[in-house]
Amino acid sequence: MNPAPTSPPIPASAERTPSGRYSGWRLLLEGLSGQRGWSRAWAKAQPRSRYRVLIVGGGGHGLATAYYLATEYGITDVAVLEQGPIGLGNVGRNTTIIRSNYFHPDNIRFFEYSLKLWEGLERALNFNAMVSQRGTLNLFHSEAQRDLFTRRANMMRLQGVEMEPLGAAAVKSLVPLIDLDNGRYPVLGGFLQRRGGTVRHDAVAWGYARAASQAGVDIVEHCEVTSIVRQAGRVSGVETTRGPIAADTVCLAVAGHSSRLAAMAGLTLPIESHVLQAFVSEAIKPVLDVVVTYGAGHFYVSQSDKGGLVFGGAIDGYNSYGQRGTLPAAEEVAMEAVTLMPGLARLKVLRQWGGVMDMSMDGSPIISRTPLEGLILNGGWCYGGFKAIPAGGMTTAHLIARNAPHPVAAHLDLERFAAGRIVDERGIGPFPYAH
Amino acid sequence: MQGPGRITRGLLTDAERSVGFRFDGRPMQGLAGDTLASALLANGVRLIGRSFKYHRPRGIVTAGPEEPCALVDVLGAEGREPNRLATTLALHEGLVAESQNRWPSLGFDVMAVNDLIGRFLPAGFYYKTFMAPGWAWERLYEPLIRRAAGLGRLEAIVGEHAAPAETLHDHADVLVIGAGVAGLTAAQRLGGSGLKVMLVEQDVVLGAGALLDPRWHAWRETMCDALAARSAVRCLPRTTVVGAYGHGVFGALETLSMAESARFGGLKERLRIIRVRRVVIATGALERLIVFPGNDRPGVMLAGAALSYLRRYGVAVGRRAAYFVNSDEAYDTVLALTAAGIECAGVIDVRPASKAADRARALGIEVHGGAQIDAVIGRERVRGVRVSDRDAGHRRELAADCLLMSGGYSPAMALASQLGAASGWQAEIAAFTPELDSSSGRVVGAARGVFGLAAAVRDAESAAGAIAAELGRAVSAAGADLKLPPDPQATPIAPLWEVPGRGKAFVDLQNDVTAEDVRLAQREGYEHVEHMKRYTTHGMATDQGRIGALAGSAVLAQARALPLSVVGQARARPFTQPLPFAALAGGEVRQHFKPRRRLALHDWHEAAGATFMTAGLWLRPLVYSHDSGWEPVLREARAVRRSVGIADVSTLGKIDVQGPDAAQFLDFIYANTMSTLSAGRSRYGIMLREDGMLFDDGTVSRLAPQHYLVTTTTANAAAVLEHMEFQLQSAVPQLDVLLTDVGDQWAQFAVAGPRSREVVAAVVAGVDLSSGAFSYMAASAATIAGVAGRVFRISFSGELAYELAVPASCAEHAWTALLKAGEPFGITPYGLDALNTLRIEKGHVTSAELNGNTSADDLGFARMLKPDADFVGRMLSQRPALSAPDRLQLVGVRPVERSQRLRNGMQLVASAASGASLGYLTSSTPSVELEGWVGLALLAGGRQRIGQRLTGSSAVHGESVELEIVSPHMLDPENHRVRA
Amino acid sequence: MLRIRCPWCGERDEIEFRYRGDASRPRPAADAGLAAFCDYVYQRDNPQGWHLEWWLHVGGCRTLLKIERHTLSHEIRWIGAAADQPPRPMEPGR
């Protein structure tokens, strides 16, 4: 059990001891010398009294923003404030899928930008995040759905992003586990994005934290923001459980809790917090190479490198900060799994957990200035935030550094709702619980 | 044939009934009542599997579901089921099991080389390498890692004969989880108070610890008999509560015995969803391992497990046992095994002195006080142990063939924690105990650190009293008269988490996590217990690392120089026991995944040769032919355009709206005006979402001043009703209106084509259907084929048309009458595909165009919006962005080269070279009215582009077509036909 | 899983109901202007704490219920009809 986090004592040697380069050679050397040479992956910084940029939230987006601020935009006077240990929020709870198959052309551009950044990430961070592009396969079960996916694939191809149609036989040979014909909604075919896949989620947080820390960013854990301080109509800093910190710019990267932090600045947001559950099965030898999404419900599954099947479904459907799941959603996901892949029937589900999602009013994210000068929002990720971490970080850093939106994220502004420029992938409307 | 390990009778085994089974190909015998583990131990089998990462030889460690190592594959008729726990797998005749994770054999496993190179594979090593060269991850490293991962193999026969699954729903006043002495006591007291009680127990029998202590056998029997006789208490053994979901809802997995499974058609388990008002958590405590080099060798087991094997199955886990203990409770095993004839190599007690040690010595048992085990001698089995005094050194070796360790006991807190319990450190028992708000549940007995069976009984009595009082009952005194064997006086536990030394010492046996891994995690900054867990994977295997969880935290705490109470343990999450997908899914899978909604005329359509299409839950006739291609569809569409056709459109949503304020209500719901509709007239209506975007369209008919009938699209039927109810009750509750869903009550047919009037007139009585009397959009009650129904003159096809509604029970009668009346005109049933062809030609929109992202202006409906009065969506629909000239607007498209076809999903681009999408094709069909294909599209600034030429491009099909942009109203734009 | 006590139908599982979101913002008057309507449609307090919300009993009597539920513990402390107001003032609950 986690006791309530009291600040653990920071050892005297918290200064920036670089963790050194990671490589196979280093493993060999350390193996021969009893692993003595490994040191902290990121420095456990003490907060200073002022920074140029404060990033609230030590999850994927917060850490990535800090990293890109330091390495792409030359701003290192940055602190990431995380209320607990980094990376235990949604970045550590998701189903690890990366892809860029979206409907809205601006979203395709944004998520493809992210996918390209994933492709170079491990080298850039010198941390193996196991970016594994083994493919994401979207199944369809009706002609109407085929038409929809055709439209999407054609739109993607116009932007140079590949998406391949597969017939039923090709689907079966790619994923032998699938029962094409005996379910209530037979599988007619699928669309495959070969460059989609999975990433080891914890490694993303740790990798970005390490690289940002090495680049000079202060990562301050066990530091909860308790209020946002305003002065002369703009943000001037924050109050935290470790004292006040002044800043020129404060960036909120706390998806799931954006509303709560925004409220500290006197703002409301077009967001509801909802729980999304995820599950993992016991580990078995490889049976599934690609990520598969079921088209006749809401179910997606992949097999992690550890052997467990990681899968999930739709949000539970009512406002919640509970980080835990309900039974009906678990049953529904299992029904879809067994219907699509009857071979899983005797495989055991091990664990269920939940994350808290920032469900926005149009189902698309928000990377934007806010009505409060100096307060930047990176949130509204719904359940699509993980794949967007590199692009979210880069474009948020751009927005902070240049005070102008990055071209691929310009459509994700907060004003779009009132203006009517909504970005609604599936046409569901202003009902976060339905997205 | 009882095996060398079977030294006495067991409580659960039947010495008269032998059971044959195979393990790794070797045939063996066990007894009815055995688990696979007890039978293997009885046969002297020690080596069970190879560990996940290092492929170290492993044996059986525990006797229950917390087992980390004894996982096997079971081969059965349905294929290979991986990761079954030998410790809970009931032995049955013909059981075939195989060890896992080894090649070529258990005795000689090639991957054991990992153990030798373990120093290069510390926790998290994979994060630090495998990054270069770039191509190598997916092609080389990852496939190897993936093949090494996982323990069991899944080989399932995917066929029609899947085993049944079942979900049951239970309701009771109180759920008691666990039938140890505390649970039995609580169930007895509460059941006797007149409350309905469910008592669930994961074991095959009730009693838990009382089974292991002969002094408690009589008490246990009396209590079990009394409970069996009490009808208010339902006892469910073999049932594990897997999750606590709040609001008194619990999920439980009931595993069926072989006999019961045969009775229920092969059903293996049931998911039980239990709803109660109160819960008693009596889940007991789990024994803990101690961390020392070689604590994973086959033959190293938990002390309590050895006692279980002796008492329950009559099996000795070894001939000469060494014991490593730090509490008095562990001596139960020492005394029992020694009395049963198992030689004692020595009891190594961490504590210099203790009452239990005194009692043992009095029986001639050698106890080494203040000592510790430094290492295990032996690799594939324990051969001996190295012992030293904790302060003075004095190393010596003892020969033994098993080492029984007990590091203390940790309350099983997972369910309490799911209910929100905080955890508190109890130094006296060196364990975390749950602190649960009594409004969420009550934890009793060992589950909250009350060790000692008699103490647990009293604890449960007190909790039962409190619960009974809360529920307004006097607690029963049933069972209070039974004598309780006194708990012996105990010397407190002396916590010992780790004995440092050379060689791997494990904190998590299933994931092969060592104490050194934990220290490495701390060194690298993964020092919060949740980071340590994720970095080392401690606690992330199928057993959730339960027997080593506290030890791992203790090693971490030591490395961080912090007390355990601050470091804590990682959070436990559902499920407390893994459960098969099939159990969680229940019976609504495969063909039963969602219900099938059939039209009243389904059988008729089927007999007429229809190909059906699934639209949501509905089965709808697509075309009355099993031939592929467009010809059958176009034949039906042509028949409509030239003469008459009939279509079953019963799936439309139909909502009856009545009341003095019905008109006003519909004016609020629809963007256009319905209050001006006269009785006997229909009107096409569009409704918006509150954000100003189109939500649904349909027809509103006014049957009487205060009686309307609304139709919706098939897909949105439920959503529209919901929307109307929501608005009525929240936004305009002052309006006196009643809504009724009559979708299933009415069957509805479209009769369309130039000859449709003649057909309808032959069947309808009571209404003058001549053109002047029953003009376009008229509506009326009517007698149809002698049945009271309604007729509407509305057209989706663009031809003269009527829709007739009859009660669903009369569908076939009316349909048949219409077909007969239409015979002279060659009336042709037409399906969804033909319907679609006709409506596309006419330019009518469906959900392909009304897709949630279109505004009224986009589809050309701007003029329909009421200018003044309020309606849902009015304010936001007026935002300029929703009618901006460059928005995607509805247009028609035709290929310039008439012989070319169109594709739904084609992108519209300025030219083949240009990459920017200007819009996309939403619907298309070969035309029966015009030459070639026609389609509808959403095109940026579409209305301004009519007359232009663009390119339609489908990379998916590899096709590119030059297109002419036209008005969407390609057929009879003046509506002469529908007004005929 | 939530168990909701519908005043007409009794205590039922959450799956019988359809969630319709925040019930603390009434629909503005017709002439309240665009900003008020944008607020109504898009802005949400989304508290971590007591939340006033709509649940429509679609699987039963189709009554629209107004419910006060805590978004962290999921405890329900008040259920009323659409026109009712909860007895206590809403705490900020952040």
Side-chain angles (χ1 to χ4, degrees), chain A residues 1 35 41 44 86 128 132-133 147 154 182 184-185 200 202 288 305 339 346 349 352 417-418 424, chain B residues 119 127 138 142 146 160 245 269 423 523-525 531 534 569 574 579 590 595 616 853 879 904 955:
Chain A
M1 299 311 296
Q35 320 289 353
K44 312 275 185 186
I86 59 157
N128 186 13
S132 173
Q133 294 173 282
D147 291 345
N154 283 334
N182 295 308
R184 173 78 172 80
Y185 299 103
R200 176 105 183 90
D202 289 324
L288 178 65
D305 287 342
T339 297
R346 303 307 308 162
V349 182
Q352 109 191 92
F417 299 97
D424 191 339
Chain B
R119 60 178 61 208
Y127 297 122
E138 279 104 345
E142 197 185 25
R146 288 171 77 80
E160 288 297 323
Y245 295 100
E269 63 269 301
S423 78
R523 212 174 304 135
E524 295 201 79
H531 277 168
R534 287 155 183 266
Q569 279 186 190
L579 69 166
R590 310 191 78 190
N853 273 320
R879 295 177 294 171
N904 292 345

Side-chain angles (χ1 to χ4, degrees), chain B residues 837-859:
Chain B
T837 295
L838 296 167
R839 69 99 186 163
I840 291 172
E841 289 180 322
K842 186 62 184 170
H844 283 154
V845 299
T846 62
S847 57
E849 293 78 31
L850 213 154
N851 58 18
N853 273 320
T854 44
S855 69
D857 184 76
D858 292 343
L859 299 189

Side-chain angles (χ1 to χ4, degrees), chain A residues 350-351, chain B residues 61-62 64-69 71 85 87-88 202 240-242 283-290 302 408-415 418 497 507-511 537-553 569-579:
Chain A
L350 221 53
R351 259 186 303 282
Chain B
V61 179
T62 72
E66 60 277 10
E67 173 61 34
C69 296
L71 279 78
L85 287 175
T87 52
T88 56
Q202 72 187 9
T240 306
V241 176
V242 295
T283 45
L286 286 178
E287 199 167 27
R288 310 187 285 237
L289 57 72
I290 305 177
L302 292 181
Y409 306 87
S410 282
M413 285 201 305
L415 286 171
Q418 286 175 37
W497 309 109
V507 295
D508 183 320
L509 290 168
Q510 195 168 125
N511 266 353
T537 74
H538 176 35
M540 295 181 73
T542 66
D543 62 339
Q544 296 207 31
R546 268 170 289 180
I547 64 172
L550 194 50
S553 286
Q569 279 186 190
R571 190 175 186 82
R573 293 173 172 151
F575 304 98
T576 57
Q577 180 185 307
L579 69 166

Side-chain angles (χ1 to χ4, degrees), chain A residues 197-397:
Chain A
T198 60
V199 179
R200 176 105 183 90
H201 54 2
D202 289 324
V204 175
W206 300 337
Y208 269 118
R210 172 168 165 265
S213 180
Q214 275 174 351
V217 168
D218 276 1
I219 296 180
V220 185
E221 292 171 284
H222 303 288
C223 180
E224 184 182 352
V225 169
T226 53
S227 77
I228 294 176
V229 184
R230 295 165 263 180
Q231 213 173 60
R234 62 163 295 128
V235 82
S236 65
V238 298
E239 300 271 0
T240 77
T241 49
R242 292 171 76 168
I245 307 175
D248 296 336
T249 304
V250 173
C251 172
L252 301 181
V254 290
H257 295 261
S258 296
S259 299
R260 295 178 50 227
L261 274 295
M264 292 179 191
L267 302 174
T268 51
L269 296 176
I271 288 173
E272 284 181 5
S273 293
H274 284 263
V275 165
L276 180 69
Q277 296 190 58
F279 307 81
V280 68
S281 78
E282 57 191 347
I284 45 171
K285 297 296 177 193
V287 290
L288 178 65
D289 287 333
V290 300
V291 179
V292 176
T293 71
Y294 183 52
H298 214 130
F299 168 66
Y300 35 90
V301 61
S302 65
Q303 185 168 23
S304 79
D305 287 342
K306 289 190 165 50
L309 295 186
V310 179
F311 57 101
I315 54 175
D316 279 12
Y318 43 91
N319 283 42
S320 174
Y321 285 86
Q323 271 188 339
R324 60 187 186 278
T326 70
L327 205 44
E331 291 174 85
E332 179 68 28
V333 161
M335 281 179 214
E336 300 191 14
V338 172
T339 297
L340 181 64
M341 303 174 170
L344 298 183
R346 303 307 308 162
L347 188 64
K348 291 188 274 298
V349 182
L350 221 53
R351 259 186 303 282
Q352 109 191 92
W353 64 91
V356 182
M357 309 289 113
D358 254 16
M359 297 303 293
S360 72
M361 280 291 171
D362 61 4
S364 289
I366 302 170
I367 299 178
S368 176
R369 283 171 287 207
T370 66
L372 180 60
E373 179 89 30
L375 184 70
I376 305 287
L377 175 66
N378 165 313
W381 289 103
C382 303
Y383 37 76
F386 180 71
K387 69 179 85 68
I389 285 172
M394 182 72 86
T395 58
T396 306

